[in-house]
Amino acid sequence: MKRGDLLLVSGILAAALLVMVPRWVQGGQISEKNHNISKTAVIKVEGEVYRTVKLTKEEQTIEIRTDRGYNLLKVHDYGIEMADADCPDKVCLTFGFRSRQGDTIVCLPHRVIVEIEGASGEGGGADAVI
Amino acid sequence: MPLSDEETSLVLKKTVMIAIFAAVAVVLSIAESMIPVNIQIPGAKLGLANIMILTCLYFLRARDALTLVVLKTILTAFIFGTFSSLLFSLFGSLLSFAVMAVLMKLGRRQFSLIGISIAGGIAHNIGQLAAASIVFSTLNIFYYLPALLISGIATGILVGIAVKYLAPALSRLTLFNVFQKS
Protein backbone atom coordinates (compact mmCIF):
# COMPACT_ATOMS: atom_id res chain seq x y z
CA MET A 1 0.00 0.00 0.00
CA LYS A 2 1.25 3.45 -0.84
CA ARG A 3 0.27 6.84 0.41
CA GLY A 4 -2.10 7.44 -2.49
CA ASP A 5 -3.91 4.19 -1.72
CA LEU A 6 -4.54 5.17 1.85
CA LEU A 7 -5.81 8.59 0.78
CA LEU A 8 -8.10 6.98 -1.78
CA VAL A 9 -9.50 4.41 0.66
CA SER A 10 -10.06 6.91 3.44
CA GLY A 11 -11.65 9.37 1.02
CA ILE A 12 -14.10 6.78 -0.26
CA LEU A 13 -14.86 5.49 3.24
CA ALA A 14 -15.50 9.02 4.50
CA ALA A 15 -17.84 9.75 1.58
CA ALA A 16 -19.74 6.51 2.10
CA LEU A 17 -20.12 7.00 5.85
CA LEU A 18 -21.13 10.64 5.40
CA VAL A 19 -24.16 9.42 3.47
CA MET A 20 -24.88 6.28 5.47
CA VAL A 21 -24.70 7.52 9.06
CA PRO A 22 -27.41 10.20 8.74
CA ARG A 23 -29.53 7.59 7.00
CA TRP A 24 -29.21 5.16 9.92
CA VAL A 25 -30.01 7.85 12.46
CA GLN A 26 -33.00 9.01 10.49
CA GLY A 27 -34.15 5.45 9.85
CA GLY A 28 -34.11 4.66 13.56
CA GLN A 29 -36.31 7.62 14.36
CA ILE A 30 -38.83 6.85 11.68
CA SER A 31 -39.19 3.15 12.33
CA GLU A 32 -41.12 3.59 15.58
CA LYS A 33 -44.08 5.29 13.99
CA ASN A 34 -43.43 3.53 10.75
CA HIS A 35 -46.30 1.11 10.94
CA ASN A 36 -49.03 3.71 11.03
CA ILE A 37 -48.06 5.22 7.74
CA SER A 38 -49.19 3.16 4.83
CA LYS A 39 -46.85 3.03 1.93
CA THR A 40 -47.25 1.99 -1.62
CA ALA A 41 -44.94 0.35 -4.08
CA VAL A 42 -45.02 1.52 -7.65
CA ILE A 43 -44.03 -1.21 -10.07
CA LYS A 44 -42.88 -0.03 -13.46
CA VAL A 45 -41.99 -2.08 -16.49
CA GLU A 46 -40.15 -0.38 -19.32
CA GLY A 47 -40.95 3.00 -17.84
CA GLU A 48 -44.71 2.42 -17.74
CA VAL A 49 -46.53 1.93 -14.45
CA TYR A 50 -47.47 -1.73 -14.32
CA ARG A 51 -49.20 -1.77 -10.96
CA THR A 52 -49.33 0.12 -7.69
CA VAL A 53 -49.74 -1.94 -4.54
CA LYS A 54 -50.32 -1.01 -0.96
CA LEU A 55 -47.72 -2.50 1.35
CA THR A 56 -49.81 -4.49 3.78
CA LYS A 57 -48.96 -6.81 6.62
CA GLU A 58 -50.87 -9.56 4.89
CA GLU A 59 -49.01 -11.45 2.28
CA GLN A 60 -49.76 -10.90 -1.37
CA THR A 61 -47.87 -11.90 -4.45
CA ILE A 62 -47.58 -10.04 -7.70
CA GLU A 63 -46.53 -11.77 -10.83
CA ILE A 64 -45.02 -9.84 -13.67
CA ARG A 65 -44.92 -11.57 -17.01
CA THR A 66 -43.56 -9.73 -19.98
CA ASP A 67 -41.82 -10.62 -23.21
CA ARG A 68 -38.55 -10.29 -21.40
CA GLY A 69 -39.36 -12.76 -18.67
CA TYR A 70 -40.95 -13.35 -15.33
CA ASN A 71 -40.66 -11.74 -11.91
CA LEU A 72 -42.43 -12.60 -8.69
CA LEU A 73 -42.84 -9.93 -6.05
CA LYS A 74 -44.01 -10.65 -2.54
CA VAL A 75 -45.59 -8.10 -0.24
CA HIS A 76 -45.59 -8.80 3.49
CA ASP A 77 -44.99 -7.05 6.81
CA TYR A 78 -45.40 -3.59 5.30
CA GLY A 79 -42.64 -4.22 2.81
CA ILE A 80 -41.89 -5.86 -0.47
CA GLU A 81 -39.31 -8.23 -1.86
CA MET A 82 -38.41 -9.89 -5.10
CA ALA A 83 -39.12 -13.54 -4.43
CA ASP A 84 -38.27 -15.08 -7.76
CA ALA A 85 -37.17 -14.14 -11.24
CA ASP A 86 -35.88 -15.88 -14.31
CA CYS A 87 -33.50 -13.12 -15.33
CA PRO A 88 -29.96 -14.24 -16.09
CA ASP A 89 -28.07 -12.29 -13.46
CA LYS A 90 -30.43 -12.56 -10.44
CA VAL A 91 -29.23 -9.24 -9.10
CA CYS A 92 -32.84 -8.29 -8.35
CA LEU A 93 -33.03 -11.10 -5.78
CA THR A 94 -30.12 -9.62 -3.83
CA PHE A 95 -32.10 -6.49 -2.98
CA GLY A 96 -33.84 -8.43 -0.24
CA PHE A 97 -36.80 -7.20 1.77
CA ARG A 98 -37.41 -3.46 1.32
CA SER A 99 -39.81 -1.40 3.35
CA ARG A 100 -38.56 2.16 3.58
CA GLN A 101 -39.72 5.06 1.55
CA GLY A 102 -37.35 5.76 -1.31
CA ASP A 103 -36.14 2.18 -1.47
CA THR A 104 -35.97 0.59 -4.87
CA ILE A 105 -35.74 -2.88 -6.33
CA VAL A 106 -34.43 -3.13 -9.84
CA CYS A 107 -34.32 -5.95 -12.35
CA LEU A 108 -32.22 -4.54 -15.11
CA PRO A 109 -32.51 -7.35 -17.69
CA HIS A 110 -36.31 -7.24 -17.46
CA ARG A 111 -36.50 -3.47 -17.15
CA VAL A 112 -38.53 -3.80 -13.96
CA ILE A 113 -38.27 -1.22 -11.20
CA VAL A 114 -40.13 -1.12 -7.89
CA GLU A 115 -40.11 2.13 -5.96
CA ILE A 116 -41.56 2.56 -2.49
CA GLU A 117 -43.44 5.77 -1.96
CA GLY A 118 -45.22 7.28 1.01
CA ALA A 119 -49.00 7.33 1.03
CA SER A 120 -50.40 9.93 -1.30
CA GLY A 121 -51.44 13.19 0.31
CA GLU A 122 -49.00 12.58 3.11
CA GLY A 123 -46.66 15.13 1.64
CA GLY A 124 -44.08 12.48 1.08
CA GLY A 125 -42.83 12.55 -2.46
CA ALA A 126 -39.51 11.03 -3.25
CA ASP A 127 -36.76 11.90 -0.85
CA ALA A 128 -34.20 14.28 -2.13
CA VAL A 129 -31.43 12.37 -3.76
CA ILE A 130 -28.02 13.84 -3.88
CA MET B 1 5.70 -2.81 -44.92
CA PRO B 2 6.51 -6.32 -43.77
CA LEU B 3 7.33 -6.76 -40.14
CA SER B 4 10.63 -8.18 -39.11
CA ASP B 5 10.69 -11.58 -37.51
CA GLU B 6 11.10 -10.10 -34.10
CA GLU B 7 8.14 -7.78 -34.49
CA THR B 8 5.94 -10.56 -35.82
CA SER B 9 6.78 -12.72 -32.88
CA LEU B 10 6.01 -9.88 -30.50
CA VAL B 11 2.61 -9.25 -32.09
CA LEU B 12 1.89 -12.97 -31.95
CA LYS B 13 2.86 -13.20 -28.33
CA LYS B 14 0.60 -10.28 -27.49
CA THR B 15 -2.34 -11.83 -29.31
CA VAL B 16 -1.82 -15.11 -27.54
CA MET B 17 -1.59 -13.39 -24.19
CA ILE B 18 -4.79 -11.43 -24.73
CA ALA B 19 -6.57 -14.61 -25.78
CA ILE B 20 -5.36 -16.52 -22.74
CA PHE B 21 -6.22 -13.67 -20.41
CA ALA B 22 -9.71 -13.39 -21.89
CA ALA B 23 -10.26 -17.12 -21.42
CA VAL B 24 -9.09 -17.00 -17.82
CA ALA B 25 -11.20 -13.90 -17.14
CA VAL B 26 -14.31 -15.67 -18.43
CA VAL B 27 -13.56 -18.75 -16.35
CA LEU B 28 -13.09 -16.57 -13.28
CA SER B 29 -16.47 -14.95 -13.94
CA ILE B 30 -18.10 -18.36 -14.15
CA ALA B 31 -16.38 -19.56 -10.99
CA GLU B 32 -17.46 -16.38 -9.26
CA SER B 33 -21.09 -16.90 -10.24
CA MET B 34 -20.98 -20.28 -8.52
CA ILE B 35 -19.90 -18.84 -5.21
CA PRO B 36 -23.05 -18.24 -3.24
CA VAL B 37 -23.06 -14.80 -1.70
CA ASN B 38 -25.85 -13.79 0.55
CA ILE B 39 -25.29 -10.12 1.10
CA GLN B 40 -27.98 -7.56 0.48
CA ILE B 41 -25.96 -5.20 -1.62
CA PRO B 42 -27.38 -5.33 -5.12
CA GLY B 43 -24.70 -5.27 -7.76
CA ALA B 44 -21.87 -6.10 -5.38
CA LYS B 45 -19.59 -8.81 -6.66
CA LEU B 46 -16.07 -10.05 -6.24
CA GLY B 47 -14.94 -8.97 -9.68
CA LEU B 48 -12.37 -11.74 -10.06
CA ALA B 49 -12.15 -11.08 -13.79
CA ASN B 50 -10.61 -7.76 -12.91
CA ILE B 51 -7.50 -9.69 -11.86
CA MET B 52 -6.80 -10.51 -15.49
CA ILE B 53 -7.59 -7.03 -16.77
CA LEU B 54 -5.30 -5.41 -14.24
CA THR B 55 -2.54 -7.93 -14.97
CA CYS B 56 -2.93 -7.23 -18.69
CA LEU B 57 -2.65 -3.49 -18.04
CA TYR B 58 0.47 -4.20 -16.03
CA PHE B 59 2.26 -6.08 -18.81
CA LEU B 60 0.82 -4.67 -22.02
CA ARG B 61 -0.33 -1.33 -23.35
CA ALA B 62 -3.73 0.13 -22.58
CA ARG B 63 -4.85 -0.56 -26.14
CA ASP B 64 -4.31 -4.30 -25.69
CA ALA B 65 -6.11 -4.29 -22.37
CA LEU B 66 -9.06 -2.57 -24.04
CA THR B 67 -9.29 -5.46 -26.49
CA LEU B 68 -9.33 -7.82 -23.54
CA VAL B 69 -12.07 -5.87 -21.76
CA VAL B 70 -14.36 -5.84 -24.79
CA LEU B 71 -13.65 -9.50 -25.55
CA LYS B 72 -14.32 -10.57 -21.98
CA THR B 73 -17.55 -8.59 -21.71
CA ILE B 74 -18.96 -10.00 -24.94
CA LEU B 75 -17.91 -13.55 -24.08
CA THR B 76 -19.51 -13.47 -20.64
CA ALA B 77 -22.69 -12.06 -22.19
CA PHE B 78 -22.72 -15.05 -24.54
CA ILE B 79 -22.18 -17.56 -21.77
CA PHE B 80 -24.58 -16.14 -19.20
CA GLY B 81 -27.15 -15.08 -21.78
CA THR B 82 -27.20 -11.55 -20.48
CA PHE B 83 -27.37 -9.91 -23.86
CA SER B 84 -30.18 -7.61 -22.82
CA SER B 85 -27.84 -6.02 -20.33
CA LEU B 86 -24.71 -6.18 -22.47
CA LEU B 87 -24.68 -2.41 -22.92
CA PHE B 88 -24.73 -1.87 -19.15
CA SER B 89 -21.90 -4.28 -18.54
CA LEU B 90 -19.91 -2.59 -21.29
CA PHE B 91 -20.62 0.79 -19.73
CA GLY B 92 -19.35 -0.42 -16.37
CA SER B 93 -16.32 -2.28 -17.66
CA LEU B 94 -15.22 0.51 -19.98
CA LEU B 95 -15.43 3.11 -17.23
CA SER B 96 -13.53 0.81 -14.91
CA PHE B 97 -10.93 0.20 -17.62
CA ALA B 98 -10.53 3.91 -18.33
CA VAL B 99 -9.94 4.73 -14.67
CA MET B 100 -7.43 1.91 -14.23
CA ALA B 101 -5.58 2.72 -17.46
CA VAL B 102 -5.19 6.36 -16.49
CA LEU B 103 -4.03 5.49 -12.97
CA MET B 104 -1.63 2.89 -14.32
CA LYS B 105 -0.08 5.42 -16.69
CA LEU B 106 0.00 8.52 -14.52
CA GLY B 107 -0.44 7.45 -10.93
CA ARG B 108 1.94 4.54 -10.67
CA ARG B 109 4.09 6.42 -8.18
CA GLN B 110 1.22 7.34 -5.86
CA PHE B 111 -0.89 4.22 -6.22
CA SER B 112 -0.02 0.55 -5.80
CA LEU B 113 -1.85 -2.18 -7.68
CA ILE B 114 -4.24 -2.42 -4.76
CA GLY B 115 -5.25 1.23 -5.05
CA ILE B 116 -5.72 0.94 -8.79
CA SER B 117 -7.88 -2.15 -8.43
CA ILE B 118 -10.06 -0.43 -5.81
CA ALA B 119 -10.54 2.56 -8.09
CA GLY B 120 -11.37 0.25 -10.99
CA GLY B 121 -13.90 -1.77 -9.03
CA ILE B 122 -15.69 1.30 -7.77
CA ALA B 123 -15.70 2.87 -11.23
CA HIS B 124 -17.40 -0.31 -12.45
CA ASN B 125 -20.13 0.04 -9.82
CA ILE B 126 -20.66 3.71 -10.61
CA GLY B 127 -20.79 2.98 -14.34
CA GLN B 128 -23.48 0.34 -13.90
CA LEU B 129 -25.55 2.47 -11.55
CA ALA B 130 -25.30 5.35 -14.01
CA ALA B 131 -26.41 3.12 -16.87
CA ALA B 132 -29.33 1.81 -14.82
CA SER B 133 -30.36 5.29 -13.74
CA ILE B 134 -30.39 6.41 -17.37
CA VAL B 135 -32.60 3.49 -18.41
CA PHE B 136 -35.08 3.95 -15.57
CA SER B 137 -34.62 7.74 -15.54
CA THR B 138 -34.43 7.80 -11.77
CA LEU B 139 -31.59 8.73 -9.47
CA ASN B 140 -33.04 6.60 -6.66
CA ILE B 141 -30.74 3.76 -7.62
CA PHE B 142 -27.76 5.71 -6.32
CA TYR B 143 -29.20 5.01 -2.88
CA TYR B 144 -27.11 1.84 -2.97
CA LEU B 145 -23.88 3.59 -3.89
CA PRO B 146 -22.46 4.00 -0.35
CA ALA B 147 -22.82 0.29 0.41
CA LEU B 148 -21.29 -0.51 -2.96
CA LEU B 149 -18.38 1.82 -2.22
CA ILE B 150 -17.57 -0.06 0.96
CA SER B 151 -17.89 -3.49 -0.63
CA GLY B 152 -15.85 -2.15 -3.55
CA ILE B 153 -12.98 -1.31 -1.23
CA ALA B 154 -13.01 -4.82 0.24
CA THR B 155 -13.12 -6.65 -3.09
CA GLY B 156 -10.67 -4.19 -4.63
CA ILE B 157 -8.12 -5.00 -1.96
CA LEU B 158 -8.55 -8.74 -2.59
CA VAL B 159 -8.15 -8.36 -6.34
CA GLY B 160 -5.17 -6.04 -5.88
CA ILE B 161 -3.40 -8.54 -3.64
CA ALA B 162 -4.05 -11.31 -6.18
CA VAL B 163 -2.46 -9.22 -8.96
CA LYS B 164 0.44 -8.32 -6.73
CA TYR B 165 1.31 -12.00 -6.45
CA LEU B 166 0.30 -12.98 -9.98
CA ALA B 167 2.33 -10.37 -11.86
CA PRO B 168 5.78 -11.34 -10.51
CA ALA B 169 4.93 -15.02 -10.90
CA LEU B 170 4.08 -14.50 -14.56
CA SER B 171 7.22 -12.42 -15.09
CA ARG B 172 9.23 -15.56 -14.46
CA LEU B 173 7.68 -17.25 -17.50
CA THR B 174 9.67 -16.84 -20.71
CA LEU B 175 6.60 -15.69 -22.65
CA PHE B 176 6.42 -12.62 -20.49
CA ASN B 177 10.10 -11.73 -20.64
CA VAL B 178 9.63 -9.36 -23.56
CA PHE B 179 7.02 -7.35 -21.71
CA GLN B 180 8.96 -6.94 -18.52
CA LYS B 181 9.06 -3.43 -17.30
CA SER B 182 12.27 -2.68 -15.49
Side-chain angles (χ1 to χ4, degrees):
Chain A
M1 293 277 257
K2 293 187 185 169
R3 236 174 71 93
D5 295 350
L6 291 176
L7 278 175
L8 179 77
V9 169
S10 41
I12 295 168
L13 268 181
L17 288 177
L18 217 65
V19 181
M20 281 176 101
V21 169
R23 205 184 274 169
W24 283 330
V25 174
Q26 202 186 21
Q29 285 167 350
I30 292 171
S31 67
E32 282 143 34
K33 44 183 180 175
N34 213 10
H35 293 300
N36 303 326
I37 312 164
S38 61
K39 280 178 258 143
T40 54
V42 181
I43 304 162
K44 288 183 196 163
V45 180
E46 313 232 11
E48 311 260 305
V49 176
Y50 180 85
R51 241 182 98 177
T52 308
V53 276
K54 207 167 210 161
L55 299 183
T56 52
K57 182 153 179 29
E58 295 76 42
E59 201 174 297
Q60 40 176 321
T61 53
I62 300 134
E63 229 183 49
I64 305 167
R65 279 188 191 279
T66 59
D67 299 341
R68 292 184 190 272
Y70 146 84
N71 292 77
L72 184 72
L73 283 158
K74 204 173 258 179
V75 172
H76 60 92
D77 298 303
Y78 307 107
I80 189 163
E81 78 180 307
M82 188 72 80
D84 195 18
D86 66 353
C87 57
D89 61 9
K90 306 274 188 247
V91 169
C92 51
L93 300 181
T94 63
F95 281 80
F97 179 74
R98 296 279 155 191
S99 61
R100 282 173 36 189
Q101 190 178 322
D103 275 359
T104 41
I105 298 174
V106 167
C107 184
L108 199 54
H110 293 172
R111 307 286 190 276
V112 172
I113 182 166
V114 181
E115 289 173 292
I116 300 182
E117 292 178 357
S120 49
E122 204 90 35
D127 279 354
V129 178
I130 311 145
Chain B
M1 206 175 75
L3 298 170
S4 71
D5 277 0
E6 221 169 279
E7 280 169 320
T8 322
S9 118
L10 196 70
V11 171
L12 252 175
K13 274 183 183 165
K14 258 188 201 169
T15 315
V16 169
M17 269 175 70
I18 294 170
I20 295 174
F21 279 10
V24 177
V26 171
V27 169
L28 284 176
S29 302
I30 296 172
E32 185 184 314
S33 74
M34 289 172 176
I35 303 170
V37 268
N38 204 9
I39 39 166
Q40 292 202 346
I41 308 172
K45 53 178 183 179
L46 274 170
L48 292 181
N50 205 21
I51 295 175
M52 297 325 290
I53 292 161
L54 197 52
T55 313
C56 187
L57 265 175
Y58 180 82
F59 282 111
L60 303 179
R61 284 174 311 167
R63 204 188 304 165
D64 304 310
L66 180 63
T67 319
L68 170 65
V69 170
V70 174
L71 209 60
K72 176 241 150 200
T73 313
I74 293 174
L75 278 175
T76 38
F78 263 121
I79 288 168
F80 290 101
T82 48
F83 256 109
S84 57
S85 42
L86 175 64
L87 273 180
F88 309 113
S89 336
L90 261 182
F91 204 85
S93 5
L94 287 180
L95 189 64
S96 157
F97 162 77
V99 167
M100 290 197 296
V102 168
L103 284 184
M104 200 58 128
K105 196 153 176 81
L106 305 175
R108 207 55 191 88
R109 235 180 300 155
Q110 288 89 31
F111 294 102
S112 72
L113 286 171
I114 295 177
I116 295 173
S117 110
I118 293 171
I122 284 169
H124 191 273
N125 287 333
I126 292 175
Q128 290 213 300
L129 283 181
S133 75
I134 291 167
V135 169
F136 294 111
S137 56
T138 170
L139 285 173
N140 275 349
I141 300 169
F142 277 96
Y143 180 91
Y144 298 101
L145 185 58
L148 279 172
L149 288 180
I150 289 172
S151 77
I153 290 176
T155 57
I157 288 174
L158 286 179
V159 168
I161 290 173
V163 177
K164 218 173 105 184
Y165 283 98
L166 182 63
L170 287 179
S171 312
R172 272 182 240 123
L173 298 177
T174 39
L175 174 63
F176 291 81
N177 278 345
V178 213
F179 307 109
Q180 281 270 28
K181 288 169 190 167
S182 54

